[in-house]
C-alpha cells in the first residue's frame, strides 16, 4: 500500500523559512517522481513543485520559484521542500504526492 | 500547460438523484493520466477514479468515470448522504500537474 507521510509544518512569520519532509513507503521510491501540492484555506488545489526519480530534474510553480527548493534522498525514501521568504499567501495545507496517491498533508501557517 | 475546466461550479441535488460532473481539458489529455478526487471539509482529497474510468480501491460502483481527449465526466448514479462533497479532476500527463477548480455537490 502506497503511503506518504508529511511533516514539518507549523507557524512561521512572514519572511521566515520552513522545511517540509515527506516519507514514502509501499513502492519502489527511487523509480518515481514525487510532487508537492498545496491548498490554501477555502481554496482549490495548486501544484507547487516536483522532482524526478533521480533528483536531477525539478519543477516549480511560478508562485514559488526562487523561494522553494525541492530535494530527495532515495536512501531514506524522503523528499524535502525547503521553503524560504514565506508570504501570507503561502499559508496552506501542503500535500506530498506520488501520482495518483497523496498524503494527509501538513499545515503551514504564515502569520506575525 | 493543460487547463482543466469543471462545470457546474455547484450542483444542488437530493439523495437518490444522479449527479453528472464535467471536466474539460485544453489541450487534450491522455485518459491514462486523468483522475477524480473527492474532498470533504478538513480532509485530504480522496482518490475516486484513475485512468479516467477505473475506480480506486474501495470506491463504490455508483461512481462512474468516463470520457477521453478533452471531455471527461464523473457520474454518481444515486447520491448517498456521504457523497455530498467537493470533487476535483486532475491531470498528471504533463508538468505542471493541473486541477479543475472543483464542483461542489450540495444537498438541495
Amino acid at each position: 500500500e502506497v503511503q506518504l507521510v508529511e511533516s514539518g509544518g507549523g507557524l512561521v512569520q512572514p519572511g521566515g523559512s520552513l522545511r517540509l519532509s515527506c516519507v514514502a513507503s509501499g513502492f519502489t521510491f527511487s523509480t518515481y517522481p514525487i510532487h508537492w501540492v498545496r491548498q490554501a484555506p477555502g481554496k482549490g488545489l495548486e501544484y507547487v513543485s516536483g522532482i524526478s526519480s533521480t533528483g536531477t530534474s525539478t519543477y516549480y510553480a511560478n508562485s514559488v520559484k526562487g523561494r522553494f527548493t525541492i530535494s530527495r534522498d532515495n536512501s531514506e525514501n524522503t523528499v524535502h521542500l525547503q521553503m524560504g521568504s514565506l508570504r501570507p499567501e503561502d499559508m496552506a495545507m501542503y500535500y506530498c504526492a506520488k501520482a495518483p496517491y497523496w498524503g494527509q498533508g501538513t499545515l503551514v501557517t504564515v502569520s506575525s | 500547460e493543460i487547463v482543466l475546466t469543471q462545470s457546474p461550479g455547484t450542483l444542488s441535488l437530493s439523495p437518490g438523484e444522479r449527479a453528472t460532473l464535467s471536466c474539460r481539458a485544453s489541450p487534450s489529455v491522455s485518459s491514462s493520466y486523468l483522475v477524480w478526487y473527492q474532498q470533504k471539509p478538513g480532509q485530504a482529497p480522496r482518490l475516486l477514479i484513475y485512468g479516467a474510468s477505473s475506480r480506486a480501491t474501495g470506491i463504490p460502483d455508483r461512481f462512474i468515470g468516463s470520457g477521453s481527449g478533452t471531455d471527461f465526466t464523473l457520474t454518481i448514479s444515486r447520491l448517498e448522504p456521504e457523497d455530498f462533497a467537493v470533487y476535483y479532476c486532475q491531470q498528471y500527463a504533463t508538468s505542471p500537474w493541473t486541477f479543475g477548480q472543483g464542483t461542489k455537490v450540495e444537498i438541495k
Side-chain angles (χ1 to χ4, degrees), chain A residues 66-112:
Chain A
R67 300 187 298 121
F68 290 12
T69 302
I70 191 171
S71 61
R72 68 189 293 159
D73 182 344
N74 284 348
S75 67
E76 297 286 337
N77 283 15
T78 301
V79 170
H80 300 290
L81 185 68
Q82 180 69 47
M83 305 188 297
S85 302
L86 283 163
R87 306 166 179 169
E89 56 263 36
D90 295 318
M91 184 164 67
M93 185 70 80
Y94 283 73
Y95 297 100
C96 172
K98 176 263 181 197
Y101 303 100
W102 295 33
Q104 291 301 301
T106 187
L107 182 63
V108 172
T109 303
V110 183
S111 174
S112 54

Side-chain angles (χ1 to χ4, degrees), chain A:
Chain A
E1 178 192 5
V2 172
Q3 287 200 329
L4 301 150
V5 180
E6 305 92 336
S7 62
L11 174 63
V12 61
Q13 292 187 338
S17 299
L18 212 54
R19 188 195 199 203
L20 306 185
S21 298
C22 170
V23 178
S25 60
F27 62 99
T28 306
F29 181 78
S30 61
T31 63
Y32 287 93
I34 301 294
H35 307 264
W36 289 93
V37 176
R38 69 185 181 184
Q39 186 173 36
K43 302 296 185 182
L45 300 165
E46 179 189 16
Y47 182 81
V48 174
S49 181
I51 188 166
S52 63
S53 59
T54 59
T56 54
S57 296
T58 57
Y59 187 93
Y60 299 95
N62 287 336
S63 57
V64 307
K65 201 171 292 182
R67 300 187 298 121
F68 290 12
T69 302
I70 191 171
S71 61
R72 68 189 293 159
D73 182 344
N74 284 348
S75 67
E76 297 286 337
N77 283 15
T78 301
V79 170
H80 300 290
L81 185 68
Q82 180 69 47
M83 305 188 297
S85 302
L86 283 163
R87 306 166 179 169
E89 56 263 36
D90 295 318
M91 184 164 67
M93 185 70 80
Y94 283 73
Y95 297 100
C96 172
K98 176 263 181 197
Y101 303 100
W102 295 33
Q104 291 301 301
T106 187
L107 182 63
V108 172
T109 303
V110 183
S111 174
S112 54

Side-chain angles (χ1 to χ4, degrees), chain B residues 12-91:
Chain B
S12 298
L13 296 167
S14 301
E17 290 194 294
R18 181 185 190 91
T20 303
L21 289 66
S22 172
C23 175
R24 291 194 165 174
S26 179
S28 64
V29 62
S30 168
S31 299
S32 299
Y33 304 103
L34 191 287
V35 295
W36 289 92
Y37 294 96
Q38 175 194 68
Q39 189 176 35
K40 297 179 180 179
Q43 297 184 15
R46 173 196 183 197
L47 178 65
L48 294 177
I49 301 288
Y50 64 94
S53 60
S54 298
R55 276 183 293 275
T57 303
I59 302 303
D61 60 9
R62 64 180 180 273
F63 290 92
I64 303 162
S66 62
S68 64
T70 60
D71 288 297
F72 299 89
T73 301
L74 175 67
T75 301
I76 310 172
S77 58
R78 286 178 57 86
L79 283 164
E80 297 289 339
E82 62 267 28
D83 298 338
F84 292 91
V86 178
Y87 293 82
Y88 294 96
C89 59
Q90 182 218 332
Q91 69 80 25

